[in-house]
Each structure stands twice: as structure tokens, then as C-alpha cells.
Amino acid sequence: MVEIDSSPEAVHQLLKDMIQEDFFVPLIRNIHLLRFEARKDSQTVLSYALRFRPPSSTEEDTPAIAYVINHRPEVVVELCRGYEYRESAMPCGAVLRDIIKNDHIAAIVLHDESQGNEPAIPVVDIDYEQMQTGAGIFWRFFDYIDKSAFEASTDAFTTFREILTKHKTLVSQYLDINFDLFFDNYNKVLMGSESYVTKRQSIKLLGEILLDRANYSVMTAYVDKGEHLKLCMVLLKDDRKMVQYEGFHVFKVFVANPHKSEAVKKILTQNRDRLLKFLPGFLEDRQDDDQFLDEKSFLVRQIELLPAPPAAI
């Protein structure tokens, strides 16, 4: 194969031709049918085309990204659907993470609810205050993570995490509006997963979401619910230490909250004595983790301040 030097002008013209011929969507839809090396080459072509910026350009977005955002959001949706096939999960995931750094691309993933061959939603038509139905492309990530083969599942989770942690204002509003739908799926599908890796990663990500200041209203709503506390307390008793450890970092948010709901107070009070017996020996092999030991001591003191449960008659 002979390599030929190309000028930025020639690349720009080729990109214009690719856009005019609607090259991106058919390639992404069929990438799973290609052989391994061809899939790698397709990933390279897509990534370069979407990143390419003409030397004279002063626009915030590259020409291809602007085209996708305003005229062909199906590119974004089809990249997400790449997780439906083991062969396309990795190349599509890599390209998707490259462009999802753009807030508008992330917004398309979060808000598009197109089905089948329906047109995807362009950014100008997004209603950021509209509650989701749960049928959109973002909600498929729960199944991509939980039901795919290991490599595809891990890649999908990486993309899922990027969306939820890199777009703070966008995601905070989204989680506020879709709180029940999101956490019903999150708790049931991800934190309830039979996969150790998925379960552990999901608990850790939950802690990151709740402890991010941008998500303060999400955190207060989450720790208000008694059923969420019960879920975390079950994690503390898991037979896998890293699940216990990640669960602890969510549990501490409930205990440290100075404005506990009545439901949370009741559960903590009912379990006060059991927790005071359990916590001192909890993960006692982490003696070199000073932060963990300090946090555990703090939680013990907070639980000691709770009223003793009423004596049984």
C-alpha cells in the first residue's frame, strides 16, 4: 500500500464530498460486517474526518461536527447503536467518546428518542426540560452495559461514565428532571447486576455523581429515600470487599447528611445498635488507608448521636 501525502485543502475537499454523499451513517451502520483490520481503518477514517479542522477555520466546531449537530444527528445515534454488535462496539465506542466531549453531541445522546429509521433529534429541537420516556438511545446503555460481552460492556460503561461526569450542567438538569426513571434503572440494572465488574463500577460511579457539587440537588433527592439507604446497607454486607468499600462511600453520604428525611432517620435509628457493632470491624484490613479510617470513625460518631431505638415491649 503506497502512502500519498495530502494537503489540508485536499482533505477538506474530500470531507465535503463525504458529507455531500452522506458517507458517515452507512459506514457506521455496516461497520460490524467488516473484517477486523477494515473496522480499525474505518474507526481511523471516522475519527480523523470528525476532528479535521481547515487551517483557516475560526469556528468552534469542526465542519463535520457542525454537520452532525445541525443536519445529521443520526451519526451520533448510530455510533451508540454500534454497541448492539460485538464487532462494532469498540470502534464505534472510541469514535463516540472522541466526539461526545462536545456538549451538543452529549445532548443528542441524552435526549434523542428516535426509533428504527426515524430521524434523530437535531440540537435546535431539543427541549431540555422535557421528561424522557426511557425509550431513547441513552437508556439503551443500561442493557449495553449489563447484557453485552465483557469487552463491549466495559467500553459501553466507559462511554456512559464520560457522559455523566464530563457535562456537569447538562447532566445535573437531566438527572433532576428524569430522577426516578434514571435511578430506577441504575439501581435495578447496574447496581443489581450479576457481573462483579459492572456492579463495582456502578457503585463507584454513583458515589462520584452524588459527591459532585454540580449534582447537589440530585444528591439530596437520592439520600432522602429510605429504599436507597437499604440498598447501600446491603452492599456493606456483600461478600466482596471492593463492593463493600465502594458501598461505604455511598452509605457515608446518608449518614453525614445533616438534613435526613424521616424515612432515613427511622432506618438508621432502628439499626443503630447493629451498625455500632458492625462498623468498628468493617474492612479492618484497610489499616493503611487513613482517609477511610477517619471517615469510618466519623460515621460511628454520627450514629452514636442517633437516639437509641425504642425497647421492645
Side-chain angles (χ1 to χ4, degrees):
M1 182 172 167
V2 179
E3 293 189 4
I4 302 174
D5 291 335
S6 56
S7 66
E9 292 75 16
V11 174
H12 192 196
Q13 182 57 53
L14 178 59
L15 177 61
K16 289 179 180 178
D17 293 340
M18 293 166 73
I19 291 173
Q20 183 175 346
E21 295 298 323
D22 194 25
F23 173 80
F24 297 125
V25 169
L27 175 60
I28 297 166
R29 283 178 177 166
N30 293 285
I31 198 170
H32 68 282
L33 301 174
L34 303 176
R35 294 183 177 181
F36 176 74
E37 290 299 328
R39 295 198 300 269
K40 287 175 59 180
D41 291 340
S42 298
Q43 175 187 329
T44 300
V45 169
L46 286 167
S47 292
Y48 189 82
L50 289 163
R51 289 198 310 263
F52 176 76
R53 184 184 300 276
S56 60
S57 175
T58 58
E59 300 295 325
E60 181 179 355
D61 296 321
T62 68
I65 291 294
Y67 162 71
V68 169
I69 290 171
N70 297 306
H71 304 290
R72 207 62 165 108
E74 292 79 14
V75 169
V76 182
V77 175
E78 293 300 334
L79 285 170
C80 294
R81 290 175 180 167
Y83 285 117
E84 295 174 7
Y85 301 94
R86 178 178 57 83
E87 296 84 357
S88 56
M90 307 288 277
C92 286
V95 176
L96 182 60
R97 282 191 298 279
D98 203 23
I99 65 173
I100 216 166
K101 298 169 186 174
N102 184 296
D103 276 347
H104 290 141
I105 299 291
I108 292 171
V109 175
L110 290 170
H111 291 276
D112 181 75
E113 295 198 296
S114 62
Q115 303 296 312
N117 292 321
E118 294 175 355
I121 189 167
V123 166
V124 293
D125 291 340
I126 291 177
D127 180 354
Y128 291 90
E129 297 182 356
Q130 176 69 44
M131 187 176 294
Q132 295 286 292
T133 66
I137 192 64
F138 173 73
W139 305 95
R140 296 190 196 178
F141 272 85
F142 291 99
D143 282 342
Y144 294 157
I145 294 166
D146 188 50
K147 296 181 179 178
S148 300
F150 178 76
E151 287 187 352
S153 169
T154 302
D155 198 282
F157 187 88
T158 301
T159 303
F160 184 75
R161 184 183 181 281
E162 288 282 306
I163 296 169
L164 293 174
T165 59
K166 301 300 183 183
H167 303 276
K168 297 183 184 297
T169 302
L170 177 68
V171 168
S172 177
Q173 180 185 25
Y174 187 83
L175 294 182
D176 276 336
I177 294 170
N178 299 287
F179 181 90
D180 289 333
L181 181 61
F182 178 82
F183 284 108
D184 284 349
N185 278 277
Y186 199 98
N187 292 342
K188 180 181 178 181
V189 180
L190 301 186
M191 291 181 63
S193 175
E194 294 181 2
S195 163
Y196 165 70
V197 173
T198 297
K199 190 181 191 79
R200 179 186 166 188
Q201 288 181 325
S202 301
I203 301 165
K204 183 176 182 179
L205 176 57
L206 175 62
E208 293 176 22
I209 292 171
L210 297 182
L211 292 172
D212 191 322
R213 291 185 179 183
N215 296 324
Y216 180 78
S217 60
V218 176
M219 181 273 290
T220 55
Y222 189 89
V223 300
D224 260 1
K225 294 185 176 290
E227 59 266 33
H228 293 166
L229 174 58
K230 290 178 182 178
L231 176 62
C232 291
M233 291 173 70
V234 170
L235 297 175
L236 298 180
K237 298 285 286 183
D238 195 276
D239 56 3
R240 295 159 295 190
K241 290 187 176 181
M242 287 309 300
V243 171
Q244 292 179 334
Y245 179 69
E246 300 299 351
F248 171 83
H249 288 297
V250 179
F251 175 70
K252 70 185 182 185
V253 184
F254 288 89
V255 179
N257 178 21
H259 307 293
K260 298 177 182 65
S261 68
E262 290 303 316
V264 168
K265 285 181 184 177
K266 182 178 179 180
I267 293 169
L268 289 175
T269 299
Q270 288 175 338
N271 291 276
R272 175 183 181 274
D273 294 344
R274 284 189 287 270
L275 286 168
L276 291 176
K277 290 179 182 178
F278 172 76
L279 284 174
F282 177 68
L283 294 179
E284 55 188 352
D285 56 334
R286 300 186 72 92
Q287 293 301 313
D288 295 332
D289 189 339
D290 291 339
Q291 181 175 346
F292 168 73
L293 294 174
D294 288 344
E295 290 177 344
K296 188 168 71 166
S297 296
F298 172 77
L299 294 193
V300 169
R301 291 195 299 272
Q302 293 300 305
I303 293 170
E304 286 174 339
L305 295 174
L306 293 169
I313 298 176

